[in-house]
Amino acid sequence: MKFFLLYLLIVNAGSFVLMLIDKYKAKNHLWRIPESTLILSAAIGGSIGALTGMYLVRHKTKRPKFTIGVPIILVIQLILIIFGAFHFYA
């Protein structure tokens, strides 16, 4: 359980930082982080960090892939966690 929580902390922090870096690069006309990388970081468990980064710095908030996709990923992850915990402790 501790490993899982540590993993989630690291992945969410990473997703958050990726959003901040990509926003910085967008404002300064630099090479960007691919959208697929940002979505992947959310999909591997960093959806809360990605959402926080999106709305904190207003990045990717007009792109349905992110405004709809990342919350859907979060809901699926929460369902899997609840389902897994229910079966683990049952």
Side-chain angles (χ1 to χ4, degrees):
M1 185 64 161
K2 288 181 185 180
F3 174 75
F4 180 67
L5 293 176
L6 180 62
Y7 170 80
L8 287 178
L9 178 67
I10 291 168
V11 170
N12 278 286
S15 292
F16 179 78
V17 169
L18 283 175
M19 284 292 180
L20 297 181
I21 291 170
D22 195 51
K23 177 66 174 194
Y24 171 82
K25 289 182 173 206
K27 289 177 90 174
N28 292 291
H29 307 287
L30 300 171
W31 171 85
R32 302 282 302 280
I33 298 171
E35 286 186 347
S36 60
T37 301
L38 298 173
I39 292 290
L40 179 63
S41 73
I44 63 171
S47 54
I48 293 172
L51 279 171
T52 304
M54 281 172 54
Y55 289 104
L56 186 69
V57 296
R58 295 185 188 148
H59 189 53
K60 301 286 187 188
T61 56
K62 294 182 180 179
R63 316 262 292 145
K65 182 189 294 187
F66 288 89
T67 59
I68 296 169
V70 175
I72 287 173
I73 291 170
L74 175 59
V75 169
I76 291 169
Q77 289 170 343
L78 290 173
I79 290 169
L80 290 173
I81 289 170
I82 291 167
F83 182 75
F86 177 75
H87 278 66
F88 180 77
Y89 291 110

